[in-house]
């Protein structure tokens, strides 16, 4: 073959190879539009799948990321590929925390994506705030319809709060340490809850109250039967009370007596009751009186319990008209008018008025010896000149 023909043939082969390579390059190289979190760019690739495009651009996706079309899908010239990275959104709604994965780029879009209705709610960040790749914490306090009763007023309002404390603070209601709040301050409120504030005031004060006097009736045979004469006028005593008063919203809830002190002891009123009746037709001669034992000294030494003429009999005559079994229902019993606390404190049992004269005198002697005198019977001791 002539040399010229060989050269021409080689040139033809070379041109065909170049043309074929160019056609292959053009057919394998594709232009793809890639959008990552809304940022679009045009890329060229020799890959055949979406995954090849991502690998060529160094884009790694995880289980919470979204890729469209599917990473295994084939691509053609002009294919559009979208990537949305997953972001963890930690939502605390009215104190309850939940974690979500979202592909939204803003708080507003994330709430819409999750279907969380937050109209009128307080959010810890702006609705337009971006959610970074590392995630975001979001607190939401939803509005609630509440009824608040305090200081004589009842208000209904819709406010975005979590607890009773926050509701009262939002309503500008101040509290005192003694006030009662229902429900408790830390209670998480719900729509329709009712909150009641009860104002508590505690005061202590002293007051003086009267002490009623008792009445002793003595039978008097020199007076006509049924006639009554006041031998000694009774006098009320006075007692000082220290009282604690608890008021709830102005009304007395509880009154407690803290201490009692007798300022002036009451004076027993003594009345004489006539018992005189006409003498019988044939009266029997009266028996000669038995000799009486000498009266004891005011100190009580040598008291004669059987003679009926002791210092105790004189006290009983003054206190009860000498009636050792008297029980008028005024809280004082027997000839020496014991109250039950004193009677039992010095060894008495049952009611003084149910015990014998001798037993009453025995208990009275213990009381006198313990006090060093007859101060337990101040009025009568004074009238008889006995030491107190």
């Amino acid at each position: 073959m002539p040399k010229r023909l060989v050269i021409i043939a080689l040139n033809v082969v070379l041109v065909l190879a170049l043309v074929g390579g160019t056609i292959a390059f053009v057919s394998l190289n594709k232009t793809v539009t890639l959008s990552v979190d809304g940022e679009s760019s045009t890329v060229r690739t020799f890959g055949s799948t979406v995954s090849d495009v991502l690998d060529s651009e160094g884009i790694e996706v995880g289980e919470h990321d979204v890729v469209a079309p599917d990473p295994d899908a084939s691509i053609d010239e002009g294919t559009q590929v979208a990537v949305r990275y997953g972001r963890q959104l930690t939502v605390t709604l009215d104190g309850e925390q939940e974690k979500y994965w979202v592909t939204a780029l803003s708080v507003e879009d994330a709430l819409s994506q999750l279907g969380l209705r937050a109209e009128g709610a307080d959010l810890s960040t702006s609705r337009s705030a971006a959610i970074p790749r590392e995630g975001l914490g979001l607190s939401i306090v939803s509005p609630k319809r509440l009824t608040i009763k305090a200081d004589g007023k009842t208000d209904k309002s819709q406010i975005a709060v979590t607890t009773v404390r926050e509701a009262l603070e939002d309503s500008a209601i101040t509290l005192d340490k003694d006030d009662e709040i229902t429900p408790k301050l830390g209670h998480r409120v719900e729509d329709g809850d009712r909150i009641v504030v009860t104002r508590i005031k505690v005061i202590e004060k002293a007051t003086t109250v009267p002490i009623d006097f008792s009445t002793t009736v003595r039978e008097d045979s020199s007076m006509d039967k049924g006639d009554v004469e006041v031998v000694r006028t009774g006098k009320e005593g006075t007692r000082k009370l220290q009282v604690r008063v608890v008021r709830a919203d102005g009304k007395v809830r509880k009154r407690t007596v803290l201490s009692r002190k007798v300022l002036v002891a009451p004076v027993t009123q003594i009345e004489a009751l006539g018992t005189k009746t006409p003498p019988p037709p044939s009266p029997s001669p009266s028996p000669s009186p038995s000799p009486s034992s000498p009266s004891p000294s005011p100190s009580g030494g040598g008291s004669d319990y059987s003679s009926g003429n002791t210092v105790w009999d004189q006290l009983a005559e003054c206190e009860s008209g000498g009636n050792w079994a008297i029980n008028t229902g005024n809280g004082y019993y027997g000839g020496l008018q014991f109250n039950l606390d004193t009677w039992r404190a010095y060894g008495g049992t049952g009611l003084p008025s149910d015990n014998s004269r001798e037993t009453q005198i025995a208990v009275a002697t213990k009381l006198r010896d313990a006090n060093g005198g007859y101060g337990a019977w101040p009025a009568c001791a004074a009238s008889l000149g006995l030491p107190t």
Side-chain angles (χ1 to χ4, degrees), residues 21-183:
T22 300
I23 293 172
F25 176 85
V26 171
S27 64
L28 293 177
N29 187 19
K30 306 175 184 68
T31 301
V32 175
T33 300
L34 177 62
S35 173
V36 180
D37 279 343
E39 297 290 335
S40 296
S41 62
T42 300
V43 298
R44 302 186 67 83
T45 180
F46 289 99
S48 60
T49 66
V50 171
S51 180
D52 293 337
V53 175
L54 299 181
D55 288 344
S56 67
E57 295 298 312
I59 296 174
E60 297 181 359
V61 294
E63 60 177 317
H64 300 294
D65 302 327
V66 175
V67 179
D70 188 81
D72 294 329
S74 60
I75 60 172
D76 297 312
E77 175 70 21
T79 296
Q80 294 183 346
V81 178
V83 177
R84 280 291 183 94
Y85 288 117
R87 292 159 166 79
Q88 189 175 63
L89 185 64
T90 303
V91 179
T92 303
L93 177 60
D94 290 333
E96 297 292 335
Q97 188 181 90
E98 292 285 347
K99 294 184 177 181
Y100 305 94
W101 282 94
V102 297
T103 57
L105 302 179
S106 69
V107 170
E108 183 72 39
D109 291 342
L111 293 176
S112 177
Q113 194 176 94
L114 295 173
L116 294 176
R117 302 178 63 184
E119 292 84 355
D122 281 349
L123 275 62
S124 60
T125 188
S126 169
R127 293 174 183 268
S128 61
I131 303 176
R133 284 282 303 277
E134 61 269 18
L136 180 70
L138 176 65
S139 294
I140 304 174
V141 181
S142 62
K144 302 166 188 70
R145 291 169 297 173
L146 302 176
T147 301
I148 301 177
K149 181 181 179 182
D151 301 320
K153 299 178 182 178
T154 300
D155 293 325
K156 294 184 178 181
S157 57
Q158 183 164 316
I159 51 179
V161 293
T162 303
T163 64
V164 170
R165 185 189 300 277
E166 293 173 1
L168 296 177
E169 290 175 352
D170 187 87
S171 300
I173 296 176
T174 57
L175 300 175
D176 186 74
K177 64 182 181 65
D178 294 320
D179 292 340
E180 294 177 353
I181 299 90
T182 306

Side-chain angles (χ1 to χ4, degrees), residues 130-331:
I131 303 176
R133 284 282 303 277
E134 61 269 18
L136 180 70
L138 176 65
S139 294
I140 304 174
V141 181
S142 62
K144 302 166 188 70
R145 291 169 297 173
L146 302 176
T147 301
I148 301 177
K149 181 181 179 182
D151 301 320
K153 299 178 182 178
T154 300
D155 293 325
K156 294 184 178 181
S157 57
Q158 183 164 316
I159 51 179
V161 293
T162 303
T163 64
V164 170
R165 185 189 300 277
E166 293 173 1
L168 296 177
E169 290 175 352
D170 187 87
S171 300
I173 296 176
T174 57
L175 300 175
D176 186 74
K177 64 182 181 65
D178 294 320
D179 292 340
E180 294 177 353
I181 299 90
T182 306
K184 299 296 184 183
L185 289 173
H187 174 79
R188 288 182 179 176
V189 294
E190 298 179 358
D191 193 57
D193 274 356
R194 178 182 175 86
I195 301 171
V196 178
V197 177
T198 304
R199 301 296 190 184
I200 302 298
K201 297 296 181 184
V202 181
I203 61 172
E204 290 188 11
K205 62 179 182 178
T207 184
T208 302
V209 297
I211 305 174
D212 291 338
F213 61 83
S214 60
T215 300
T216 297
V217 179
R218 300 176 180 175
E219 293 183 349
D220 190 331
S221 59
S222 67
M223 296 170 57
D224 291 340
K225 187 174 183 178
D227 288 352
V228 176
E229 181 182 330
V230 176
V231 178
R232 184 179 69 190
T233 302
K235 294 182 180 179
E236 287 185 340
T238 54
R239 177 184 285 120
K240 180 181 179 181
L241 303 180
Q242 190 70 22
V243 182
R244 177 185 291 125
V245 180
V246 179
R247 292 182 178 270
D249 284 341
K251 297 180 179 179
V252 175
R253 172 186 287 180
K254 186 178 181 181
R255 188 189 301 270
T256 304
V257 177
L258 304 177
S259 63
R260 298 177 174 85
K261 181 180 180 181
V262 175
L263 302 178
V264 179
V267 176
T268 302
Q269 179 162 301
I270 301 176
E271 298 178 355
L273 175 63
T275 60
K276 181 179 179 181
T277 57
S282 301
S284 301
S286 300
S288 300
S290 59
S292 60
S293 300
S295 299
S297 65
S299 64
S303 297
D304 184 350
Y305 288 179
S306 62
S307 68
N309 193 26
T310 69
V311 68
W312 297 115
D313 292 295
Q314 296 174 38
L315 271 174
E317 183 68 22
C318 177
E319 291 287 342
S320 64
N323 186 350
W324 294 91
I326 191 169
N327 179 0
T328 63
N330 65 353

